[in-house]
Structures are given as C-alpha cells and as structure tokens.
DNA sequence: ATGGCTGTTGCATGTTGTGCAACGTGCCTG
DNA sequence: CAGGCACGTTGCACAACATGCAACAGCCAT
C-alpha cells in the first residue's frame, strides 16, 4: 500500500470533521508541515480540498461532482443481474427487477428459472402498479405528497377479487409495506400468481429498485412462497450493499477496532 | 506536487465515468499495471473505491459520505435552508442556493414547491455559469482581476438565442448585476425558464452565496416573476443577517414577511 | 519595533514508489 | 480436452520521489 497516498487520503476524513489549518493537519498525520503542505496542495489541485479565506482547509466541491457523476453512471441492473440469476437458480422461480420513474413502475430485468436469459421482450413494460409487490415497495418510499398525488391519480382496475380497490386502500397498504420493509402480491393481478418482494436501497437509504419472486399457485402455495422471503430480502440487501459501495466482507481477517 | 498522490487522485474522475478494470486504469494513467494496482488498493483501503463482483473498480461509499459531510460543513446552507423552504412555500416555485468555488458555480441546495425534499441528485451539478442568475451574482462579486480571468477562460455555449454570447457581453452583464444587487436569467439556458436571484453576503459584505427562484413561462411570465424580486431580496437579506451573526430576531421561526 | 506564530521554499538524504518479468488463474478457442 | 490468451497478482532491484530539516517570509500581538 502506498504510504504517500495513504497519508494524503487520511486528510480527507480529518477535514470532514471540520476545517483545519496546516499545523493541525501535519500534527494529526504525524508528518512534517512541509510534507502536509505538499499533500494538501495536491489534493487542492484535484479540487478535493478547498482553501477558505482564513487559509484553513476544508473539503472541496469536486467531491460533490464526483459523487454525483458516479451516482448517475450507476446501473442497478448491471449490479443486480448476477444476484438475480443466483436467486433464480436457487429457488427456481421467476425473478423480477423494477424501478419507479415518473409515475410508472417498470420492469428492467427478469430471470426465469428455466431459461436464465434476460427477456428484453417483457422488460420496459409498465407494471400493474396498484397491485404488484415491487410497485408497492417503490411507491411506499416516495415522499408523502408525491405518494398521495400518484395514488390518487391512478386507476384501480379490478384484475381479480383481491386487487387493490381504491386509493385509500392502496395508501393503507403502502403504509404497511413501508413499515415492514417487504411486500407481497397474493393473487391481486392474476388469481393464480403470488409474489414476494424486497427493496434495494442506495447509499442514502432511499429505495432505488425493487425485486420480487413470483410463482403460480400450482407450483407452490402462497405460504410456501413466503418461506422464501428471508432469501429474497438477503439478496436485495446484498445488491443494496454492492450498489451503495459498502463492502460487506472484503478481508475477513481485518476488522476496524 | 506529489506525483504518487496526483496519479492516485486522477483515478477518481476516471472511475466517475463508469466502472473500469485494472488494465483500463493503468492505460489511462500511463503507468504499469502493478502501479495502478497498488494505487487502487490504497484507494480501496480508504473506501474511496469499491471493487464490484466482476472485479471492476468503481467509486466507493466513503466518497459519498465525505461529500455529504463536506456539504454539511457549509454552514451557509444550514442557515439558509429554512428560509429557502419558507420562500418555496410562499411563492410555489423552485428555489436554488449556489456558491462559487474555484472557477465553478454549484448548487448546494434546492427546494421544489411540490416536494420540499432536498434533492441531492441535482446538487453538485455544475451550473451553466455564463447564463445562470446565481452565477452572475457570484462572479460579479469577485475581485476584478479574477473576474476577468474567469470570464475569459469560459466557454459561451449558445443554449438559446438569449444566452450570453461572449466574455465582453458577460463582463458587461456582471457590471450591471454588481451595480443593481440582483440578477435575472430570462430564457438564457432554457427558452421557457426564467429566474430571479439575490446575493447572500457575509459580515464583511462579500457575496458568499446566491439564491434564486425559477419558474417556467407557462406558469408565470417573466414580468410576474419579477414581482417576486422584493421577496427574494428580503429572504436573501434575512439569510445574510443570520449568517453574519447580525440576527435581529433570535427566533428563526419568525421572519419578516 | 520585535518576538512569536504561521505558511512557504530549496535541498541533501534514503525511504518508497516504480517498472519489469514471472507466476497463477479463469475463460474462450482451436 | 488441450492449448492459448488475457487478466490480476507477486517479488525484486533500482533510482526516482517524497521526506524532514533548516532557513526565509509575512502577519499579528505584544
């Protein structure tokens, strides 16, 4: 591991606590002032550190820009896909990945047990938003005014007798889902199809996508499907960790004391 | 400037474009793979870089955390936020807060009328510096040599027919803005969007931030938007007072209406 | 003025980062 | 199934580069 870079990077969390001057930085790094100066200058040239008018240093603006750009280039689907495939192989049912966008919920990936191939044909199709388990999770995480606005602007078609009947019922269901952190669709769209779903969250905790496992009654009962919930949630959490760049276990030997 | 650190930091913007593998990083840095490996490892140990399951590298979670903390250390934002929210509720339009740093102008807070949530997603994005009302205010306050230097180093993209065409026009506009103490952007970035902006000043009178109200033509005409100017200026002044410690009322809930 | 404090510079030293070459491994191709 | 290729990884010798020292320069307070 590169010592120089190590020292330089150690400055960042230090400055995150608040602005500091050269002497403080040098002290806390345990290096000479001139060394700290050169490190800070390099950080400064890259915009990671900003020198305010009182000559003290603080974290710089480029940090935002970097985080921002990285977020935009993050592809949930790319990261999620291998996890979905593994889940599909493990449980043998259909796995979906969906996102919310502009009042709609869209499937962006699908893995079927028998043919673990992306079925682009289905991807992009709008989801039955009032009943699908993934839709409930995605809508449940919206800020209250938008959630309400969306819920009230929707149609509530009665696909089956168990479909969500109206906005009031839907909002109540969303509250439950938000509370428990997972969702189901038990015959709300097709009488014979059940789903369990779990949310995928970004670094800030907001739900960026949702995934579900679906199976027809003739294969497994709803109760049997529900036994898969822990596995689904674990998969979703694994995707969340990877998506948000939290390294779950890189080196099991090392641990921060 | 430290070469090693310089190289290591150059990796960050590179990864911000999207995930890359070791070879690509080494190539774009112009160094040996083993060198790139050690740099990446160091970055990884600090959590700035994350290694996803396909072994490619991308920016890591610590970076987001740092950006977050850096933003929270900007006390202007903290002080301004409640004022911005109140203004947003009062006028119903989008409110922005921006600062100048190292030749760039960036949004550090945003309040939208319908969804009064911090939209981190937009924050950090570089502002259209040659046309945005807030950018004019921030640049107008720079010391003359720097203002000139920045103005002449900029590109002047013609977003619309009303965009600032060149450095000369920009400097002239800055002089006007500096004189009158407020600024507008009338369709200079998007044909249908207008803004009015006012400066936030520190105790020494220097502009530390700028805020604006933006609205599309279809909602209010430019003339109607201009009637909000007194309100915007009053809000900016209230923030200035509080920021500079000259807070007339200790109760931040009450505001001059 | 003058002392102490801070940030800054030039330079000799040796620590540290570097590139090379060789190894291991997984994947695709013949 | 074997072979080859591409990629990540390791150990090492060399010298480039980061380091700390000492001396300089500005600034404020005494």
């Amino acid at each position: 591991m590169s010592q120089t870079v190590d020292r330089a990077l150690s400055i960042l969390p230090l400055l995150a606590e608040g602005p500091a001057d050269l002497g403080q930085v040098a002290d806390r790094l345990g290096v000479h002032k001139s060394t700290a100066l050169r490190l800070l200058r390099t950080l400064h040239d890259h915009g990671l550190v900003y020198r305010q008018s009182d000559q003290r240093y603080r974290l710089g603006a480029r940090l935002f820009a970097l985080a921002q750009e990285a977020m935009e280039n993050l592809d949930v689907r790319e990261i999620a896909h291998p996890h979905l495939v593994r889940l599909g192989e493990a449980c043998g049912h259909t796995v979906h990945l969906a996102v919310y966008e502009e009042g709609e919920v869209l499937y962006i990936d699908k893995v079927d047990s028998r043919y673990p191939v992306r079925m682009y044909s289905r991807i992009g199709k709008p989801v039955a938003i009032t009943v699908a388990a993934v839709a409930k999770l995605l809508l449940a995480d919206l800020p209250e005014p938008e959630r309400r606005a969306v819920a009230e602007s929707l149609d509530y078609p009665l696909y089956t007798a168990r479909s969500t009947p109206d906005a009031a019922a839907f909002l109540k269901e969303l509250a439950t889902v938000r509370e428990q952190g997972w969702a189901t669709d038990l015959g709300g769209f097709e009488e014979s199809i059940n789903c369990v779903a779990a949310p995928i969250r970004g670094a800030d905790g907001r739900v960026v996508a949702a995934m579900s496992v679906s199976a027809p009654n003739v294969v497994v009962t709803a109760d049997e499907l529900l036994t898969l919930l822990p596995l689904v949630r674990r998969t979703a959490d694994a995707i969340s960790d990877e998506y948000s760049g939290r390294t779950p276990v890189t080196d099991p030997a090392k641990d921060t004391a």
Side-chain angles (χ1 to χ4, degrees), chain A:
Chain A
M1 192 176 64
S2 169
Q3 182 187 81
T4 314
V5 179
D6 183 42
R7 285 172 171 169
L9 297 182
S10 301
I11 294 178
L12 296 178
L14 194 152
L15 289 184
E17 298 171 14
D21 62 25
L22 180 62
Q24 294 169 335
V25 172
D27 278 352
R28 293 200 45 183
L29 276 188
V31 298
H32 202 89
K33 281 183 299 185
S34 59
T35 308
L37 179 68
R38 233 157 351 92
L39 296 178
L40 280 165
R41 275 225 256 261
T42 310
L43 290 168
H44 178 94
D45 288 349
H46 285 260
L48 298 185
V49 144
Y50 176 71
R51 191 150 204 200
Q52 41 190 28
S53 45
D54 62 353
Q55 295 226 322
R56 290 190 307 168
Y57 295 91
R58 65 168 174 76
L59 294 182
R62 186 76 35 111
L63 231 43
F64 305 128
L66 281 175
Q68 174 63 27
E69 205 179 332
M71 292 283 275
E72 281 174 5
N73 291 338
L74 259 193
D75 191 3
V76 203
R77 191 181 47 188
E78 191 182 343
I79 290 172
H81 191 70
H83 295 269
L84 303 183
V85 170
R86 224 171 305 133
L87 178 59
E89 287 167 352
C91 71
H93 304 305
T94 301
V95 181
H96 277 116
L97 180 69
V99 295
Y100 170 83
E101 197 174 306
E102 309 265 328
E104 282 188 331
V105 172
L106 307 169
Y107 288 127
I108 57 171
D109 204 357
K110 173 182 176 174
V111 177
D112 193 282
S113 55
R114 313 177 70 87
Y115 315 106
V117 191
R118 271 189 206 165
M119 298 182 60
Y120 286 100
S121 53
R122 291 277 289 176
I123 295 172
K125 249 190 178 168
V127 174
I129 195 170
T130 60
V131 294
V134 286
K136 293 175 188 173
L137 284 164
L138 291 165
L139 293 180
D141 188 64
L142 291 179
E144 148 67 15
E146 187 174 1
R147 190 185 345 154
R148 182 168 220 89
V150 170
E152 285 171 355
S153 71
L154 291 174
D155 289 331
Y156 291 84
L158 288 174
Y159 305 107
T160 75
R162 311 177 77 171
S163 297
T164 311
D166 52 39
F170 193 44
L171 284 169
K172 196 176 162 201
E173 171 76 358
L174 292 187
T176 307
V177 163
R178 186 186 176 89
E179 190 65 27
Q180 68 191 6
W182 51 272
T184 61
D185 162 27
L186 303 177
F189 182 59
E190 294 249 11
E191 197 67 68
S192 62
I193 304 275
N194 301 312
C195 306
V196 294
I200 292 161
R201 299 175 187 275
D204 54 1
R206 292 208 43 190
V207 174
V208 295
M211 58 174 294
S212 69
V213 170
S214 314
N217 263 325
V218 293
V219 178
V220 290
T221 66
D223 283 346
E224 285 166 346
L225 188 62
L226 277 173
T227 64
L228 288 177
L229 179 58
L231 179 58
V232 175
R233 296 187 77 178
R234 242 179 291 128
T235 304
D237 289 345
I239 298 171
S240 299
D241 285 343
E242 190 169 338
Y243 179 77
S244 56
R246 263 191 308 273
T247 159
V249 182
T250 309
D251 182 2
K254 287 262 183 153
D255 196 11
T256 59

